[in-house]
Amino acid sequence: MDRILSFSTKRKTVYMHKRQFLPGASKEVARMPDSSIRTDEYVFAGDDAVVPFQVEELDARGRAVQLGPTLDDILSRHDYPEPVAKLLAEAIVLTVLLGTSLKFDGKFIFQSQSDGPVDMLVVDFRTPNSVRAYARYDEERLAEAIAENRLSPVELMGGGTLALTVDQGEYTQRYQGIVALDGSNLEEIAKTYFRQSEQIPTDLRLSVAKLIERGEDGKPVEQWRAGGLIVQFLPESELRMRQRDLPAGDAPESDDDDEVDLVEDDDWAEIKALVATIESSELTDPQVGAERLLYRLFHERGVRVFDAVPVNDDCSCSREKIAGVLSGFTAEEISDSIEDGKISVTCEFCSTEYEFDPAEFLPKN
């Protein structure tokens, strides 16, 4: 199900085109501090949900998300140093935005390998809505980076590669795109990936914040939040845009065709200009929300939103799966894994610890 949002609000920007917003339903169902909201009994997505959207007049589509409790649970259980937590949070938002685009059962995996203090980030999105993540870092090198204020993503991660993998299951071939970690941040690295691997005009924004909320006992509690937005041209536009890259002799001679190309250039420039106006706080502010942000950006063109996809902190590990792995160990490997008379295995993603009796896996005499 889809809705055309009909809010009234203001955005501090000059739009390149002035057109009347496509009308939605007139029933007023709620009021927010800085705007009146009119919807057709619309239920707002809130935290931990991806909102797909389409701007038909600009021939664009995308997804927006705000992560709250799900993100906070993932980061809090690991108790990462703040720079590591922020970096992993950005990776989680990016993975969720990309993973929720899959139209089949499978996984979308983000994995960086690099030579910096944070040498590995792994985010695993399992359709339709499960995410898990962890980071690996060198404590000594990270402490040095913090002391010297070398905290940008490029300084924390260093040189290396980012692999984005689509896994459709056991009997299918994985698709993997690899891009060098040579951008200033994950936004720029992701744009490079789309430019090189997907060849789809893409723009995106990511933001992470730690907010202070009041807990049930009245004391302040720190909570992680993050948000993101990705927008792309529809495939038809992407194909038409490529025509402008042909040599002059191959270009259409019709003035009408040239005019169409010019409008499409303007549309993409308009999208990028609007996305550039997003403030980081808008992506993480719980009072803004994905739908309100989309309206602020695209209301003069008309923005259509679709049913939100919830995002859950859900690890796929289990005692049975780990036991299956241990069953493949040799007797020597099992003996080397014994400590204090037992085998202990901790899941890197969810920090759950499993204990096993070595006798389960040793040969029976």
Side-chain angles (χ1 to χ4, degrees), residues 2-7 20-24 42 51-58 60-64 229 231 290-306:
D2 62 283
R3 298 284 192 274
I4 297 177
L5 297 183
S6 179
F7 299 66
Q20 184 176 2
F21 170 62
L22 298 175
Y42 186 84
V51 178
F53 67 90
Q54 184 167 324
V55 185
E56 293 175 357
E57 285 200 25
L58 295 179
R61 64 185 174 192
R63 291 172 299 284
L229 177 142
V231 60
E291 294 93 345
R292 186 193 296 277
L293 175 61
L294 291 172
Y295 177 76
R296 288 181 178 182
L297 290 173
F298 302 117
H299 71 283
E300 296 205 0
R301 291 297 198 169
V303 56
R304 186 182 301 274
V305 300
F306 301 87

Side-chain angles (χ1 to χ4, degrees), residues 48-303:
D48 302 331
V50 176
V51 178
F53 67 90
Q54 184 167 324
V55 185
E56 293 175 357
E57 285 200 25
L58 295 179
D59 214 12
R61 64 185 174 192
R63 291 172 299 284
V65 66
Q66 278 197 355
L67 297 179
T70 289
L71 178 70
D72 194 62
D73 288 345
I74 292 173
L75 299 181
S76 297
R77 75 164 60 96
H78 291 285
D79 195 25
Y80 291 122
E82 190 164 314
V84 178
K86 183 177 180 181
L87 191 59
L88 182 60
E90 288 189 354
I92 292 171
V93 175
L94 177 59
T95 303
V96 166
L97 286 173
L98 300 182
T100 49
S101 70
L102 300 182
K103 305 301 182 184
F104 48 80
D105 291 337
K107 292 182 180 181
F108 186 90
I109 305 166
F110 172 114
Q111 182 170 339
S112 69
Q113 290 187 310
S114 57
D115 58 9
V118 184
D119 63 357
M120 180 178 289
L121 299 172
V122 182
V123 187
D124 186 305
F125 182 89
R126 180 164 38 91
T127 58
N129 53 15
S130 298
V131 65
R132 58 181 188 168
Y134 78 91
R136 189 177 69 188
Y137 62 96
D138 184 291
E139 293 186 9
E140 184 175 338
R141 295 180 64 196
L142 179 65
E144 292 176 359
I146 293 174
E148 297 171 5
N149 199 31
R150 294 185 286 105
L151 302 178
S152 68
V154 66
E155 290 172 318
L156 290 175
M157 299 174 72
T161 58
L162 168 63
L164 299 175
T165 304
V166 176
D167 185 350
Q168 300 185 52
E170 182 178 359
Y171 301 106
T172 60
Q173 185 174 0
R174 284 187 170 194
Y175 168 78
Q176 186 173 78
I178 298 178
V179 62
L181 292 174
D182 54 5
S184 60
N185 53 47
L186 287 184
E187 288 180 4
E188 294 302 322
I189 294 168
K191 290 177 186 178
T192 299
Y193 165 79
F194 280 103
R195 185 166 58 249
Q196 295 179 352
S197 301
E198 302 295 328
Q199 297 182 340
I200 298 175
T202 303
D203 203 2
L204 72 153
R205 289 292 308 277
L206 307 172
S207 181
V208 178
K210 181 184 282 190
L211 304 184
I212 299 179
E213 305 286 348
R214 192 171 297 278
E216 295 181 358
D217 58 0
K219 296 181 179 179
V221 178
E222 293 183 333
Q223 293 184 333
W224 285 100
R225 294 185 60 82
L229 177 142
I230 184 170
V231 60
Q232 299 177 311
F233 259 123
L234 295 171
E236 306 89 89
S237 295
E238 186 250 337
L239 292 174
R240 290 196 296 268
M241 285 180 67
R242 288 184 181 179
Q243 293 178 0
R244 291 191 295 276
D245 294 330
L246 295 175
D250 295 330
E253 296 180 0
S254 167
D255 292 338
D256 291 339
D257 288 339
D258 290 340
E259 183 177 351
V260 170
D261 280 350
L262 179 60
V263 170
E264 290 185 348
D265 271 339
D266 285 347
D267 286 349
W268 182 233
E270 180 177 349
I271 290 171
K272 292 194 295 183
L274 292 174
V275 171
T277 68
I278 299 174
E279 297 180 6
S280 294
S281 59
E282 289 181 290
L283 290 169
T284 58
D285 187 345
Q287 297 301 316
V288 174
E291 294 93 345
R292 186 193 296 277
L293 175 61
L294 291 172
Y295 177 76
R296 288 181 178 182
L297 290 173
F298 302 117
H299 71 283
E300 296 205 0
R301 291 297 198 169
V303 56

